[in-house]
């Protein structure tokens, strides 16, 4: 124990400063006694067994190692001192370049944070958050670094349970709604025969509300999925023109009153999640139809701009006021023009679409004028490499 | 005259139920089974219901329906696996199978299991009836 704490202080020429930095880091304030009491600091670092705390030189060579780190990674202090911190990363991330990049950022900005897998001595992985603080008096020139690693396995377990809960709950709720929807449809068929207006209106409203409930649940499931799969897009190489054609066909068959035409063809293939990008297009197109009750033309364009593909969907419908345009991608947000015209919706379509585009490292934006229509754009890197 | 009239009325009496197509609905949720049965009966089909996933193969061999409506998540057996089994069974493999599920991956499940068609829950009555008619018409 003692040797560990001593070695923690080893790389320091100005101990006072070092412990001040760490105690600030650990949110203990600037109290004089904390800053100067080296024993207190040693006890503190040693008592934080839930945290792996170690220091390195400016190249990443490990110079100190606390008990928490020993517990987390399985290396004893003797084994690890002098080794490079990159051995605690997965081979995939472990190239020195990646670590050097992080250290550079830490030196520049004072600290660097990330969440990623770390590797133990026995080769097993665990999910952890990492904080890197630079040690040095000057900007950009670090004498060394302090690493604080916290095991987040439990947190991700919780996230997993939450996602599983949402998806099970949605599925369980869907089952009774399925039968409700069927009964309502059967009743509707029979009620229409009676020609009783009140009954017919009531049952048709009941049906509409059930559809709304279903839609809402689909979106909730989507959101749960999006959060879970944020980094797990199923990317393939695909033909964008084919995807646009495949997306347009079912939509046109449902809304024969709207004329949707495509402008521009991209010869190059795209690397991305075909299904998800199709979902973005579907969301934009169904919005374009929904919010242009008095206009029937909708244009889909695609073109290459530098390394990106830009796809747009233009309608000549209600439009969105300037003041609301920045909020339109928010969860459950609905434009006043949509509400004033009594167009039903939940306000999740654009949110989901934007999340998908962001996951592709792309951008989504719009141009719109009230009563003239809206154009929604999204761009994604043609080769969406990580 | 009497001799002719009797067989005619009997055949007329028999004609309607004879032409009714039989559909086996395999679904563990009783409310869905009940509502599907009701809507199919309304559409002049004869309906058989089965709630136990393990009994479906035997039920199919015994009743030889025109179409099987099969829920993917049945207790005791996975709908996709049952579908694969039925498609290998010489007695019943010609019978069209329509998978039903609330699962979003239904298309993949249907492709993997060799089902003839699929429908996502909740479904529109007309969509379901159209699928049933189409599959009876194009029966292999």
């Amino acid at each position: 124990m003692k040797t560990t704490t001593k070695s923690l202080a080893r790389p320091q020429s100005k101990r006072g400063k070092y412990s001040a930095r760490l105690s600030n880091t650990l949110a203990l304030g600037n109290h004089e006694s904390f800053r100067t009491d080296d024993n207190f600091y040693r006890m503190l670092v040693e008592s934080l067994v839930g945290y792996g705390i170690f220091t390195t030189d400016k190249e990443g060579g490990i110079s100190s190692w606390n008990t928490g780190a020993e517990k987390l990674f399985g290396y004893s202090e003797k084994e690890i001192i002098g080794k490079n911190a990159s051995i605690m990363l997965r081979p995939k991330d472990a190239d020195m370049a990646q670590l050097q990049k992080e250290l550079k950022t830490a030196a520049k900005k004072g600290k660097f944070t990330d969440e990623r897998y770390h590797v133990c001595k026995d080769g097993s992985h665990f999910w952890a958050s990492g904080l890197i603080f630079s040690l040095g008096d000057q900007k950009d020139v670090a004498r060394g670094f302090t690493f604080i690693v916290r095991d987040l396995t439990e947190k991700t377990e919780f996230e997993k349970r939450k996602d599983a809960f949402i998806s099970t709950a949605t599925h369980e709720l869907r089952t009774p709604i399925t039968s409700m929807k069927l009964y309502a449809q059967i009743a509707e068929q029979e009620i229409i025969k009676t020609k009783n207006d009140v009954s017919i209106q009531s049952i048709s409203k009941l049906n509409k509300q059930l559809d709304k409930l279903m839609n809402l649940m689909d979106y909730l499931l989507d959101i749960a999925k999006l959060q879970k799969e944020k980094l797990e897009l199923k990317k393939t190489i695909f033909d964008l023109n084919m995807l646009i054609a495949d997306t347009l066909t079912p939509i046109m068959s449902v809304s024969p009153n709207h004329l949707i035409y495509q402008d521009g063809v991209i010869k190059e293939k795209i690397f991305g999640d075909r299904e998800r990008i199709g979902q973005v297009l579907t969301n934009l197109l169904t919005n374009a139809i929904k919010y242009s009750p008095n206009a029937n033309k909708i244009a889909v364009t695609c073109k290459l701009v530098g390394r990106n593909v830009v796809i747009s969907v233009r309608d000549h419908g209600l439009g969105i006021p300037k003041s609301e345009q920045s909020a339109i991608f928010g969860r459950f947000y609905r434009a006043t023009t949509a509400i004033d015209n009594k167009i039903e919706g939940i306000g999740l379509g654009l949110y989901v679409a934007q999340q998908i585009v962001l996951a592709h490292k792309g951008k989504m934006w719009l141009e719109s004028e009230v009563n003239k229509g809206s154009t929604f754009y999204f761009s994604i890197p043609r080769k969406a490499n990580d | 005259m009497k001799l002719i009239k009797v067989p005619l009325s009997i055949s007329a009496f028999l004609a309607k139920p004879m032409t009714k197509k039989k559909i086996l609905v395999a679904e563990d949720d009783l409310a869905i089974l009940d509502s599907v049965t009701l809507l199919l009966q309304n559409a002049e089909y004869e309906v058989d219901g089965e709630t136990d996933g393990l009994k479906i193969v035997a039920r199919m061999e015994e009743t030889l329906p025109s179409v099987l409506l099969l829920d993917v998540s049945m207790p005791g057996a996975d709908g996709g696996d049952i579908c694969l089994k039925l498609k290998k069974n010489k007695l019943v493999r010609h019978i069209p199978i329509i998978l039903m599920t609330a699962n979003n991956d239904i298309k993949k499940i249907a492709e993997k299991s060799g089902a003839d068609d699929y429908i996502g829950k909740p479904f529109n009555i007309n969509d379901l009836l159209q699928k049933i008619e189409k599959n009876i018409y194009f029966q292999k």
Side-chain angles (χ1 to χ4, degrees):
Chain A
M1 290 277 253
K2 251 190 173 171
T3 52
T4 315
T5 42
K6 257 182 195 164
S7 62
L8 260 165
R10 203 178 292 148
Q12 300 312 309
S13 50
K14 294 170 188 169
R15 272 185 205 179
K17 233 174 198 164
Y18 177 30
S19 50
R21 199 181 264 277
L22 248 184
S23 56
N24 282 341
T25 309
L26 300 168
L28 286 168
N30 274 327
H31 197 279
E32 193 61 25
S33 63
F34 285 172
R35 209 180 299 170
T36 48
D37 193 348
D38 220 36
N39 274 329
F40 178 83
Y41 157 67
R42 282 176 200 175
M43 268 165 55
L44 185 68
V45 172
E46 270 317 299
S47 65
L48 287 169
V49 283
Y51 293 83
I53 303 176
F54 57 93
T55 56
T56 70
D57 58 29
K58 60 184 182 198
E59 258 78 50
I62 294 164
S63 50
S64 79
W65 191 249
N66 84 334
T67 317
E70 190 174 328
K71 270 191 174 167
L72 272 180
F73 292 98
Y75 294 103
S76 69
E77 190 197 1
K78 250 187 193 169
E79 286 172 307
I80 198 87
I81 296 283
K83 296 236 169 69
N84 196 285
S86 63
I87 66 163
M88 285 171 285
L89 304 180
R90 286 191 297 182
K92 208 165 103 181
D93 309 322
D95 52 327
M96 287 302 288
Q98 174 66 17
L99 186 67
Q100 288 306 333
K101 217 165 123 189
E102 290 180 12
L103 295 182
K104 224 175 174 178
T105 315
K108 212 173 187 176
K109 297 188 174 160
K111 69 172 186 176
F112 181 88
T113 54
D114 70 345
E115 281 184 17
R116 64 152 95 197
Y117 279 105
H118 288 72
V119 183
C120 302
K121 187 185 170 186
D122 62 10
S124 60
H125 295 174
F126 66 97
W127 185 256
S129 72
L131 272 156
I132 307 173
F133 293 96
S134 77
L135 307 170
D137 310 328
Q138 282 169 285
K139 225 184 163 191
D140 292 342
V141 190
R143 273 185 289 115
F145 298 93
T146 301
F147 288 71
I148 302 178
V149 180
R150 189 159 71 98
D151 189 354
L152 291 178
T153 313
E154 220 168 276
K155 189 184 152 200
T156 41
E157 276 302 310
F158 174 75
E159 293 282 316
K160 271 185 206 160
R161 280 206 297 274
K162 188 193 81 185
D163 290 337
F165 170 75
I166 293 177
S167 107
T168 318
T170 314
H171 187 272
E172 290 304 311
L173 285 168
R174 238 191 232 208
T175 308
I177 291 177
T178 301
S179 56
M180 278 160 76
K181 186 86 186 106
L182 285 172
Y183 286 126
Q185 286 179 84
I186 296 166
E188 192 173 24
Q189 283 181 347
E190 296 301 313
I191 286 171
I192 284 170
K193 290 180 198 161
T194 66
K195 298 198 171 142
N196 179 326
D197 281 349
V198 178
S199 314
I200 292 172
Q201 274 181 25
S202 306
I203 191 78
S204 105
K205 279 178 186 164
L206 175 65
N207 256 323
K208 270 195 189 142
Q209 291 303 314
L210 281 174
D211 288 341
K212 211 169 159 181
L213 189 58
M214 256 339 281
N215 258 331
L216 182 62
M217 291 207 318
D218 280 347
Y219 274 123
L220 283 178
L221 194 65
D222 249 356
I223 288 174
K225 262 196 170 171
L226 278 174
Q227 280 168 352
K228 195 165 67 181
E229 293 171 5
K230 213 165 214 167
L231 304 164
E232 298 171 26
L233 291 170
K234 289 171 204 140
K235 286 180 183 166
T236 51
I237 296 168
F238 67 91
D239 185 335
L240 184 67
N241 302 305
M242 284 288 286
L243 176 66
I244 293 177
D246 286 352
T247 315
L248 286 183
T249 322
I251 292 175
M252 288 205 284
S253 70
V254 190
S255 338
N257 296 332
H258 283 82
L259 184 72
I260 309 174
Y261 55 94
Q262 191 188 336
D263 197 7
V265 173
I266 289 177
K267 284 177 196 160
E268 291 86 351
K269 296 218 161 139
I270 289 181
F271 183 62
D273 190 324
R274 189 181 194 274
E275 215 164 292
R276 289 288 182 195
I277 293 173
Q279 195 184 352
V280 175
L281 257 175
T282 306
N283 282 5
L284 292 182
L285 281 166
T286 45
N287 274 355
I289 291 169
K290 212 158 86 173
Y291 298 111
S292 49
N294 305 317
N296 66 349
K297 272 187 195 164
I298 289 160
V300 182
T301 65
C302 62
K303 57 183 174 189
L304 272 178
V305 178
R307 288 181 180 176
N308 299 315
V309 190
V310 180
I311 299 161
S312 74
V313 176
R314 175 195 297 270
D315 65 54
H316 301 280
L318 303 171
I320 299 153
K322 271 250 145 56
S323 57
E324 296 176 25
Q325 289 180 5
S326 57
I328 198 78
F329 295 108
R331 249 191 268 194
F332 297 107
Y333 189 85
R334 301 211 57 223
T336 46
T337 37
I339 298 165
D340 292 346
N341 282 280
K342 297 204 168 92
I343 294 172
E344 295 199 345
I346 307 161
L348 285 173
L350 284 177
Y351 169 76
V352 169
Q354 195 196 31
Q355 292 302 310
I356 294 169
V357 172
L358 288 178
H360 279 88
K361 299 199 166 112
K363 265 190 266 175
M364 195 164 197
W365 69 100
L366 76 153
E367 283 166 8
S368 185
E369 208 173 312
V370 176
N371 290 328
K372 286 201 173 161
S374 310
T375 310
F376 281 88
Y377 299 87
F378 68 94
S379 77
I380 47 167
R382 192 162 70 79
K383 288 176 185 164
N385 287 325
D386 291 329
Chain B
M1 287 295 272
K2 267 184 188 172
L3 276 171
I4 302 164
K5 254 189 182 173
V6 173
L8 257 181
S9 64
I10 289 171
S11 72
F13 175 72
L14 286 174
K16 213 179 172 187
M18 287 284 282
T19 54
K20 268 197 181 180
K21 296 255 178 0
K22 194 191 286 171
I23 295 174
L24 178 62
V25 183
E27 165 68 63
D28 64 302
D29 184 84
L30 290 175
I32 294 180
L33 178 60
D34 180 59
S35 52
V36 170
T37 305
L38 193 60
L39 86 88
L40 290 177
Q41 281 170 348
N42 264 3
E44 302 286 312
Y45 287 105
E46 192 186 328
V47 185
D48 248 336
E50 179 56 68
T51 54
D52 187 345
L54 297 169
K55 289 184 186 155
I56 294 171
V57 178
R59 261 319 258 288
M60 283 286 277
E61 289 175 346
E62 174 197 328
T63 55
L64 294 173
S66 299
V67 170
L68 167 67
L69 273 183
L70 176 60
D71 180 29
V72 171
S73 41
M74 296 279 288
D78 174 73
D81 293 343
I82 297 171
C83 193
L84 278 175
K85 222 186 252 176
L86 289 170
K87 286 296 169 197
K88 282 178 193 155
N89 185 323
K90 276 181 189 166
L91 263 176
V92 298
R93 69 175 171 209
H94 63 282
I95 300 169
I97 299 174
I98 302 175
L99 287 183
M100 316 182 279
T101 181
N103 193 317
N104 285 338
D105 295 324
I106 183 162
K107 199 175 163 186
K108 276 179 217 151
I109 298 170
E111 277 166 11
K112 262 191 198 165
S113 60
D116 299 83
D117 214 333
Y118 60 87
I119 189 159
K121 284 179 187 172
F123 38 78
N124 187 290
I125 289 188
N126 291 329
D127 289 349
L128 180 68
L129 292 177
Q130 268 177 23
K131 290 210 176 202
I132 290 174
E133 270 163 42
K134 190 184 91 186
N135 279 285
I136 291 176
Y137 186 79
F138 289 111
Q139 195 174 337
K140 286 157 206 162

